[in-house]
């Protein structure tokens, strides 16, 4: 189930939902970035969010509808760059140092300036988060998080480039206790994780994250199996594409029975990859929701009602 903003098209997550106090949460039809533009949620329908709000007993801010169809809707963000913005927003949401230094309102304005072309830069998925922030005019001082290159490589080699939370491939050097709180860059406070676990853990206390993660042993094993299987299938697919290109070159024709048979096999392989990736993403999202909801419940359990 995709939770998407019906204005810009970006995928929503729980951090984008508007909450008016812990006792009166409300979900909106559009994301907080679009709300920062001055857009009114009441002008936009969003059947998926509307249904989620009803199931979770939350309020809903938006135009109510019975239709799931978004007919002929022009989104503010083009489809080819949405994932780049979504990844960047997730990086910000999960970075305690950035959250402390850059207000969400300023961050939203930087995103809007990029979306509207006022700043000639779109965040890159393979670009360091600090560089993306600087290019968008909201630089962050990461001096608290300074772990030199040698220590980072020591941690990566120590754990053989494997996430110590889920077991998948990883190279993110994570602070067990958030550096923004502990200011501890010692080796005892460093561990290796994948970027996904690093983002999910964010500023969650290490002991709580480990406790929750220990309940997901079988899920984590499945994630590793998905990752390994997808990696093998994608390697086979790339090799199959190279073989097909080589045969086309050698034969000097674009189509014949042998080439068409190769294409048919490649299509089956691509379909298998797409199906597996869909299942993999669904399990990843389910795991993330488990951590997010458990963390919120823990905070709610420790809060006081005045």
């Amino acid at each position: 189930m995709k939770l998407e903003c019906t204005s810009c098209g970006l995928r929503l997550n729980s951090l984008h939902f508007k909450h008016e106090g812990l006792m009166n949460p409300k979900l909106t039809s559009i994301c907080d970035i679009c709300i920062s533009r001055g857009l009114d949620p009441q002008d936009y329908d969003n059947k998926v969010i509307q249904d989620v709000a009803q199931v979770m007993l939350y309020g809903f801010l938006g135009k109510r509808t019975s239709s799931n169809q978004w007919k002929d809707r022009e989104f503010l963000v083009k489809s080819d760059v949405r994932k780049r913005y979504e990844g960047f927003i997730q990086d910000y949401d999960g970075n305690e140092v950035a959250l402390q230094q850059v207000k969400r309102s300023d961050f939203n304005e930087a995103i809007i300036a990029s979306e509207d072309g006022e700043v000639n830069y779109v965040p890159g998925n393979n670009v360091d988060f600090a560089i993306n922030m600087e290019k968008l005019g909201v630089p962050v001082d990461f001096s608290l998080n300074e772990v030199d290159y040698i220590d980072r490589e020591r941690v990566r080699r120590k754990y053989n480039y494997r996430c110590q939370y889920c077991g998948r491939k990883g190279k993110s050097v994570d602070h067990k206790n958030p550096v923004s709180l502990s200011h501890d860059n010692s080796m005892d406070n460093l561990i290796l994780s994948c970027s996904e676990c690093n983002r999910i853990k964010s500023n969650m206390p290490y002991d709580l994250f480990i406790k929750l993660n220990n309940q997901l042993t079988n899920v984590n094993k499945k994630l590793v199996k998905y990752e390994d299987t997808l990696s093998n299938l994608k390697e086979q697919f790339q090799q199959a594409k190279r073989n097909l290109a080589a045969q086309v070159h050698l034969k000097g024709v674009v189509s014949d029975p042998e080439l068409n048979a190769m294409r048919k096999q490649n299509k089956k392989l691509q379909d298998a990859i797409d199906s597996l990736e869909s299942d993999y993403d669904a399990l990843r999202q389910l795991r993330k929701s488990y951590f997010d909801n458990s963390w919120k419940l823990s905070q709610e359990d420790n809060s006081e009602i005045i």
Side-chain angles (χ1 to χ4, degrees):
M1 178 175 61
K2 294 183 178 181
L3 307 180
E4 295 176 336
C5 172
T6 51
S7 173
C8 67
L10 293 179
R11 182 170 298 191
L12 295 162
N13 63 45
S14 58
L15 292 175
H16 296 147
F17 295 164
K18 293 296 179 182
H19 292 72
E20 297 183 1
L22 290 174
M23 302 303 294
N24 185 29
K26 293 184 179 180
L27 309 187
T28 65
S29 58
I30 57 177
C31 67
D32 64 330
I33 295 174
C34 288
I35 292 174
S36 296
R37 288 176 173 274
L39 302 180
D40 187 349
Q42 300 287 0
D43 294 334
Y44 295 85
D45 62 284
N46 196 324
K47 184 64 163 57
V48 177
I49 303 299
Q50 180 181 314
D51 290 344
V52 170
Q54 183 176 356
V55 170
M56 299 180 70
L57 302 180
Y58 286 175
F60 172 67
L61 294 178
K63 182 190 295 183
R64 294 192 174 273
T65 179
S66 59
S67 173
N68 284 305
Q69 300 299 319
W70 299 352
K71 295 181 179 179
D72 303 323
R73 180 158 289 170
E74 289 290 334
F75 294 112
L76 289 170
V77 180
K78 301 302 181 184
S79 59
D80 58 335
V81 295
R82 278 181 207 153
K83 288 187 177 180
R84 295 169 65 175
Y85 282 114
E86 288 168 353
F88 180 57
I89 292 168
Q90 288 178 357
D91 285 340
Y92 171 77
D93 287 339
N95 194 301
E96 185 66 20
V97 176
L99 290 169
Q100 286 186 344
Q101 296 184 36
V102 178
K103 294 187 297 185
R104 184 169 294 277
S105 58
D106 293 336
F107 178 79
N108 288 350
E109 290 301 324
I111 293 289
I112 292 170
S114 174
E115 291 174 349
D116 292 349
E118 295 176 9
V119 174
N120 187 27
Y121 183 76
V122 176
N125 286 336
N126 297 319
V127 179
D128 187 84
F129 175 61
I131 294 177
N132 279 331
M133 292 290 283
E134 183 176 355
K135 292 281 189 180
L136 288 179
V138 280
V140 175
D141 179 8
F142 286 98
S143 60
L144 290 175
N145 196 22
E146 286 184 352
V147 178
D148 62 38
Y149 174 79
I150 294 177
D151 283 343
R152 289 183 182 275
E153 283 303 306
R154 285 175 60 192
V155 174
R156 289 166 181 154
R157 291 179 181 274
K158 176 181 178 181
Y159 296 111
N160 198 28
Y161 290 85
R162 284 284 175 180
C163 175
Q164 295 304 291
Y165 301 129
C166 70
R168 286 173 290 175
K169 296 175 183 177
K171 58 181 182 180
S172 295
V173 177
D174 181 42
H175 291 79
K176 297 179 182 178
N177 295 311
V179 67
S180 58
L181 303 178
S182 66
H183 296 190
D184 184 0
N185 285 312
S186 69
M187 292 297 291
D188 288 339
N189 194 41
L190 301 179
I191 197 169
L192 196 67
S193 79
C194 63
S195 58
E196 185 171 289
C197 285
N198 197 346
R199 186 179 296 135
I200 291 173
K201 177 175 172 286
S202 183
N203 63 336
M204 189 187 304
Y206 177 73
D207 290 342
L208 175 60
F209 186 81
I210 291 298
K211 178 182 177 181
L212 297 173
N213 192 56
N214 287 340
Q215 304 297 318
L216 301 176
T217 301
N218 290 333
V219 170
N220 291 335
K221 288 180 179 178
K222 287 182 180 179
L223 291 176
V224 173
K225 188 171 292 186
Y226 272 123
E227 182 183 66
D228 291 344
T229 303
L230 280 169
S231 177
N232 291 333
L233 286 176
K234 288 179 179 180
E235 185 176 341
Q236 292 178 35
F237 182 66
Q238 291 303 318
Q239 183 60 50
K241 286 177 63 178
R242 289 192 290 268
N243 291 341
L244 176 60
Q247 287 300 312
V248 170
H249 178 73
L250 290 173
K251 288 174 175 288
V253 296
V254 176
S255 178
D256 71 8
E258 182 182 0
L259 295 176
N260 291 338
M262 293 177 69
R263 290 190 178 96
K264 188 174 181 179
Q265 287 300 116
N266 288 359
K267 179 62 167 57
K268 289 182 178 179
L269 192 55
Q270 181 64 69
D271 289 344
I273 292 172
D274 291 343
S275 177
L276 201 62
E277 280 189 327
S278 178
D279 293 341
Y280 180 43
D281 289 343
L283 185 60
R284 290 169 53 206
Q285 184 58 43
L286 189 63
R287 177 176 182 265
K288 180 181 182 300
S289 296
Y290 168 77
F291 281 110
D292 289 345
N293 292 331
S294 297
W295 176 220
K296 289 175 184 175
L297 286 172
S298 175
Q299 292 175 305
E300 176 70 13
D301 188 49
N302 292 323
S303 67
E304 295 182 0
I305 299 177
I306 300 177

